Amino acid sequence: MGAAPTTAAPRRRRRAVPWVFLGLWTVLLALASPFAAQLADVQQDRAVDYLPASAESTEVADIQDQLPGGQATELVLVYHRDGGLSAADRATARRQIARIAEEHRLAAEPRGVPSKDGTTLMYPVVSTEPGQDEEKRDALVDAVRDTARGSGGLSVDVGGPGALSTDASKVYDSLGGPLLYTTAAVVAVLLVLIYRSPFLWLVPLAVAGVADYLAMAVAYGLHQGFGTSVSGQSSGIMTILVFGAGTDYALLLVSRYREELRRFERPYDAMAAALRGCGPAVLASSGTVAAGLLCLLAADLNSSRGMGPLGTVGVLCALVAMLTLLPAVLVLLGRRVFWPLIPAFGSAPRQRRGLFAAMGASAGRRPRTVLAGGAVLLGALALGALNLPGALKQEDSFTRTPESVTAMETLAAAYPERGTRPLTVMAPADRADEALGTIRDTRGVDSAERGRTGEEWTEISVIAASAPESAGERAAIEALRDRLDGSYVGGASAQQLDLRDTSDRDRALVVPLVLAAVLLVLVALLRSLVAPLLLLAAVVAVWGASLGIAGLLFEPLFGFEGTDPGLGLLSFVFLVALGVDYGIFLMHRMREECLNAAEPGTAALTALRTTGGVIASAGLVLAATFAVLTNMPLVQLVELGFVIAVGVLLDTFLVRTYLVTSASVALGRKVWWPGPLSKAPPAPAPEPERQPAATT
């Protein structure tokens, strides 16, 4: 009789554990709520915000803040009539410009510049009214657009760097809701198809939403505490990672939990066994992703450097939620959450020959042939990267044409012989006249005028003789930087040039760091050198093939005029870090089979048969979440989402299934070199020969 309370007490404690975790998460969300809501307020999406502090164009923006009125906002008002502007059109333009000058603080009186064909009249407008305040800049642009209106066939568009920044900012501000809802809807549909349950899909989806909310709060804390840069792109990618990686971890845990429910009567015991079984692999995979993303801290580009911590925050918040909150909710709901396919205690799962068993068998019969064919296919696809379009221009970064881009297109057609977007030179005030003379004598410069003057610096506005972001304008920028000693050349076109150059330097630095970091994690996990190198070679091949497919489709199919300069680096980091995840699940199970005395070939096929379904489901979910970005209105997001989604699918259904398995079968025990598994086990000692017993 006395033993009953002793047995009941641990049961009561076990039943209380899920409620404790649920209570802790409730408190945590209450504390995080005030901070999560403020993340959107600290996003910075100007081109100069993406650049490093060492770039010349950033120096120009910083010096502008010291001049009277602070940083200037440059606009261009474009008046256009197809048949040619009339006298009434020009009068309308003068009247509207005069009203704008009365209502806003301008750096200089705007002067109209007519086109040679008489169809277009442009007025460059420079205002110091907003300073660095993005909300005031957007309000200025909206007010100017309200004033400058056309009628009766006269079109009036407001363009220029300030208007482009405003249109981009509005697009980024509008991403949060649609991106979150679309991602959640895509994940929900896939989970319903995978689980075949009307209720189970709600649990991991709700937990992923909670993890995303926590990640937003932590990201805001990083910005406030350490100055981590936050952009619309990085916060959007963070949400994608929370739902994509978090759902992957949930798939692994729920799959193992379903198995353990057949072995354990109580859900708590089954969940404990599931966490012991798949927890190490989930921790290792999330650690690999975090290590790869944190390498972005070495990047000089603000946007890439900020992406590292925010992506890591998303992955780690998803990990913590899926290993604490998800198990608690599943245990509290019990077996009925799996309805109608409830795993009964003591039952055996239905055995059937699966797709991955058949694929593994085909790869195992001729491993070298499959490996060579796959390598040739990936290499051929990678050649398509040579067809990628050049650097993406600022006005080509929208999938739908805003007013600022319409204005720039009109200017490009009406003024083909000159630049329409001013460059900004900051010269020392005591040498401004000398700098102005040098600028006017520089090849590729059409005109130059003095602007504002402060205590130490003078602003000079320069018009290039070539179109914005053309080869001629880039040559003019480089010539000015070579000839002007002690001055800085900035402006929108110079910012794009610095963005491209910095992206090239970052790629050369960060790519080796990512490979080294991921290799170290894999070596520590798999106790081998060959297996980690095999996985890294596989994901690098996937990256090259994905860029090749993009090169074949971006311009011919999508109509993209350029490639985002950061696409190569970001797609590499994400594909390597996330692709190695699935390699960890596969190779870790393969190692377990080898430790259980299975032959390497048998171990590889067994690992594929047992993990293939879960890896395929996880790969589909991750690819689908990144594919959500292809529906966004910014070209750089569409390009990044497309390359990563294609890469994940290639990795899941070709590389991980056929090539890694074939290579493992072909290498045999060498795949575990130099670890103990690379050595053949000693042959069992022969039994001593028995002598017949002597008869008495």
Coordinates of all heavy atoms in Angstrom, one line a residue, residues 464-495:
A464 N 26.8 63.3 -65.6 CA 27.7 62.6 -66.5 C 27.1 62.7 -67.9 O 26.0 63.0 -68.2 CB 27.7 61.1 -66.1
A465 N 28.0 62.4 -68.8 CA 27.6 62.5 -70.3 C 27.0 61.2 -70.7 O 26.5 61.2 -71.9 CB 28.9 62.8 -71.1
S466 N 26.9 60.2 -69.9 CA 26.3 58.9 -70.3 C 25.1 58.6 -69.4 O 24.9 59.3 -68.3 CB 27.4 57.8 -70.1 OG 28.5 58.1 -70.9
A467 N 24.3 57.7 -69.8 CA 23.1 57.3 -69.1 C 23.5 56.7 -67.7 O 24.6 56.2 -67.5 CB 22.3 56.2 -69.9
P468 N 22.5 56.8 -66.8 CA 22.8 56.2 -65.4 C 23.1 54.7 -65.5 O 22.5 54.0 -66.2 CB 21.5 56.5 -64.7 CG 20.8 57.6 -65.4 CD 21.2 57.4 -66.8
E469 N 24.2 54.4 -64.7 CA 24.6 53.0 -64.5 C 25.1 52.3 -65.8 O 25.1 51.1 -65.9 CB 23.6 52.2 -63.8 CG 23.2 52.7 -62.4 CD 22.3 51.7 -61.6 OE1 22.6 50.5 -61.6 OE2 21.3 52.2 -61.1
S470 N 25.5 53.2 -66.8 CA 26.0 52.6 -68.0 C 27.6 52.5 -67.8 O 28.1 53.0 -66.8 CB 25.7 53.6 -69.2 OG 26.3 54.8 -69.0
A471 N 28.2 51.8 -68.8 CA 29.6 51.7 -68.7 C 30.3 53.1 -68.8 O 31.3 53.3 -68.1 CB 30.1 50.8 -69.9
G472 N 29.8 54.0 -69.6 CA 30.4 55.3 -69.6 C 30.3 56.1 -68.3 O 31.2 56.7 -67.9
E473 N 29.1 56.0 -67.6 CA 29.0 56.7 -66.3 C 29.9 56.0 -65.3 O 30.6 56.7 -64.5 CB 27.6 56.6 -65.9 CG 27.4 57.5 -64.6 CD 26.0 57.3 -63.9 OE1 25.7 56.1 -63.7 OE2 25.3 58.3 -63.6
R474 N 30.1 54.7 -65.3 CA 31.0 54.0 -64.4 C 32.4 54.5 -64.6 O 33.2 54.7 -63.7 CB 30.9 52.5 -64.5 CG 29.6 51.9 -63.9 CD 29.7 50.4 -63.7 NE 29.8 49.7 -65.0 CZ 28.7 49.3 -65.7 NH1 27.5 49.6 -65.3 NH2 28.9 48.7 -66.9
A475 N 32.8 54.6 -65.9 CA 34.1 55.1 -66.2 C 34.3 56.5 -65.7 O 35.4 56.9 -65.2 CB 34.4 55.0 -67.7
A476 N 33.3 57.4 -65.8 CA 33.4 58.7 -65.3 C 33.6 58.8 -63.8 O 34.4 59.5 -63.2 CB 32.2 59.5 -65.7
I477 N 32.8 57.9 -63.1 CA 32.9 57.8 -61.6 C 34.3 57.4 -61.2 O 35.0 58.0 -60.3 CB 31.9 56.9 -61.0 CG1 30.5 57.4 -61.2 CG2 32.1 56.6 -59.5 CD1 29.4 56.4 -60.9
E478 N 34.9 56.4 -61.9 CA 36.2 55.9 -61.5 C 37.3 57.0 -61.9 O 38.2 57.2 -61.1 CB 36.5 54.6 -62.3 CG 35.6 53.5 -61.8 CD 35.7 52.2 -62.7 OE1 36.3 52.4 -63.7 OE2 35.1 51.2 -62.3
A479 N 37.1 57.7 -63.0 CA 38.0 58.8 -63.3 C 38.0 59.9 -62.3 O 39.0 60.4 -61.9 CB 37.7 59.3 -64.7
L480 N 36.8 60.3 -61.8 CA 36.7 61.3 -60.8 C 37.4 60.9 -59.5 O 38.1 61.7 -58.9 CB 35.2 61.7 -60.5 CG 34.5 62.4 -61.6 CD1 33.0 62.5 -61.3 CD2 35.0 63.8 -61.8
R481 N 37.2 59.7 -59.1 CA 37.8 59.2 -57.9 C 39.3 59.1 -58.0 O 40.0 59.3 -57.0 CB 37.2 57.8 -57.5 CG 35.8 57.9 -57.0 CD 35.2 56.5 -56.7 NE 33.9 56.7 -56.0 CZ 33.1 55.6 -55.7 NH1 33.5 54.4 -56.1 NH2 32.0 55.9 -55.0
D482 N 39.8 58.8 -59.2 CA 41.3 58.8 -59.4 C 41.9 60.2 -59.4 O 43.0 60.4 -58.9 CB 41.6 58.1 -60.7 CG 41.4 56.6 -60.7 OD1 41.3 56.1 -59.6 OD2 41.2 56.0 -61.8
R483 N 41.2 61.2 -60.0 CA 41.7 62.5 -60.1 C 41.5 63.5 -58.9 O 42.3 64.4 -58.7 CB 41.1 63.2 -61.4 CG 41.4 62.4 -62.7 CD 41.0 63.3 -63.9 NE 41.8 64.5 -64.0 CZ 41.5 65.5 -64.8 NH1 40.4 65.4 -65.6 NH2 42.2 66.5 -64.9
L484 N 40.5 63.2 -58.2 CA 40.1 64.1 -57.0 C 40.8 63.6 -55.8 O 40.5 62.6 -55.2 CB 38.6 64.2 -56.8 CG 37.9 64.9 -58.0 CD1 36.4 64.8 -57.7 CD2 38.2 66.4 -58.1
D485 N 41.8 64.4 -55.3 CA 42.5 64.0 -54.1 C 41.9 64.7 -52.9 O 41.8 65.9 -52.8 CB 44.0 64.4 -54.2 CG 44.8 64.0 -53.0 OD1 44.4 63.0 -52.4 OD2 45.9 64.5 -52.8
G486 N 41.4 63.9 -51.9 CA 40.8 64.5 -50.7 C 39.3 64.7 -50.9 O 38.7 65.1 -49.9
S487 N 38.7 64.4 -52.0 CA 37.3 64.5 -52.2 C 36.6 63.1 -52.3 O 37.3 62.1 -52.5 CB 37.0 65.3 -53.5 OG 37.5 66.6 -53.4
Y488 N 35.3 63.1 -52.2 CA 34.6 61.8 -52.3 C 33.5 62.0 -53.3 O 32.8 63.0 -53.4 CB 34.0 61.5 -50.9 CG 35.0 61.3 -49.8 CD1 35.2 62.4 -48.9 CD2 35.7 60.2 -49.7 CE1 36.1 62.2 -47.9 CE2 36.6 60.0 -48.6 CZ 36.8 61.1 -47.7 OH 37.8 60.9 -46.7
V489 N 33.3 60.9 -54.1 CA 32.3 60.8 -55.1 C 31.2 59.9 -54.7 O 31.4 58.7 -54.4 CB 32.9 60.3 -56.5 CG1 31.8 60.3 -57.5 CG2 34.0 61.2 -56.9
G490 N 30.0 60.4 -54.6 CA 28.8 59.6 -54.2 C 27.6 59.8 -55.1 O 27.8 60.1 -56.3
G491 N 26.4 59.5 -54.6 CA 25.2 59.6 -55.4 C 24.7 58.2 -55.7 O 25.4 57.2 -55.4
A492 N 23.5 58.1 -56.3 CA 22.9 56.8 -56.5 C 23.7 55.9 -57.4 O 23.9 54.7 -57.0 CB 21.5 57.1 -57.1
S493 N 24.3 56.4 -58.5 CA 25.0 55.5 -59.3 C 26.3 55.0 -58.7 O 26.7 53.9 -58.8 CB 25.3 56.2 -60.7 OG 24.1 56.5 -61.4
A494 N 27.0 55.9 -57.9 CA 28.2 55.6 -57.2 C 27.9 54.5 -56.1 O 28.7 53.6 -55.9 CB 28.8 56.8 -56.6
Q495 N 26.7 54.6 -55.5 CA 26.3 53.7 -54.5 C 26.1 52.3 -55.1 O 26.6 51.3 -54.6 CB 25.0 54.1 -53.9 CG 25.1 55.3 -53.0 CD 23.8 55.9 -52.5 OE1 22.7 55.3 -52.9 NE2 23.8 57.0 -51.8

